[in-house]
Amino acid sequence: MTHARQGLGKAGEEIAARHLEAIGYEILERNVRFRVGEIDIVARDHETLVFIEVRARRTQRWGSALESVGPAKQRKLIQLARYYLASRKVRDHTCRFDVVGVTWEGAQGVGPRIDHVTGAFDLS
C-alpha cells in the first residue's frame, strides 16, 4: 500500500471516529489487529458493541466507498469480530456491523462526504 493510500485511510478513519463520537458512540479501540486482518473501529452505541469498517475514497469513479464492502469483506469482518469477542472474553453482548464511507468529492475544496450505514450487514 502506498503512503498516499495509507494517509487517505488514516484521514478517513479520523473523520469517521469524530463523526461517530459526535452522534454519541463511545470509541473503545481503533485499528485492532489480528493475524488475519484488522478492525478499524470498535465502539459502543448505548448497550450495543459495534464493529465499524471505514472506507475512504478520493472519488466515486469506481463506485462508492460503501459499495466496496462486498460479501468477501463482510465474511472477513465477521471472522475478525469473532476473534475480537473471544480475545476480550466478551459474552452475551449485542453486536452490530456499521460501515462508514468517507469520500472527498473533488479538488474544489469540498470537504469529505460521510455516509454511515448502521447495521450494514449481520452474521448470517
Side-chain angles (χ1 to χ4, degrees):
M1 183 179 297
T2 66
H3 289 296
R5 284 191 63 203
Q6 286 177 333
L8 179 70
K10 286 185 99 149
E13 286 180 17
E14 187 59 38
I15 290 166
R18 285 194 309 243
H19 161 75
L20 294 165
E21 288 174 328
I23 62 170
Y25 285 46
E26 176 188 356
I27 305 298
L28 302 176
E29 296 186 62
R30 290 174 63 175
N31 305 113
V32 181
R33 289 182 176 86
F34 295 99
R35 64 180 170 76
V36 295
E38 177 181 291
I39 301 169
D40 293 330
I41 300 174
V42 180
R44 183 171 319 164
D45 179 22
H46 302 288
E47 298 302 316
T48 302
L49 188 62
V50 187
F51 299 98
I52 300 146
E53 175 69 6
V54 178
R55 296 299 214 171
R57 294 266 174 107
R58 291 190 198 288
T59 71
Q60 292 194 33
R61 181 182 225 177
W62 292 282
S64 75
L66 299 175
E67 290 172 331
S68 69
V69 183
K73 184 63 177 181
Q74 291 174 16
R75 285 190 298 275
K76 175 68 76 175
L77 293 168
I78 290 167
Q79 177 186 30
L80 290 167
R82 288 183 172 139
Y83 283 152
Y84 180 89
L85 295 170
S87 71
R88 304 308 192 268
K89 297 178 177 36
V90 176
R91 305 218 189 300
D92 300 324
H93 213 295
T94 303
C95 298
R96 184 177 81 220
F97 294 91
D98 288 8
V99 177
V100 176
V102 179
T103 307
W104 282 264
E105 295 296 333
Q108 292 83 14
V110 177
R113 186 174 112 206
I114 300 169
D115 295 302
H116 179 186
V117 179
T118 303
F121 58 93
D122 56 34
L123 290 173
S124 58

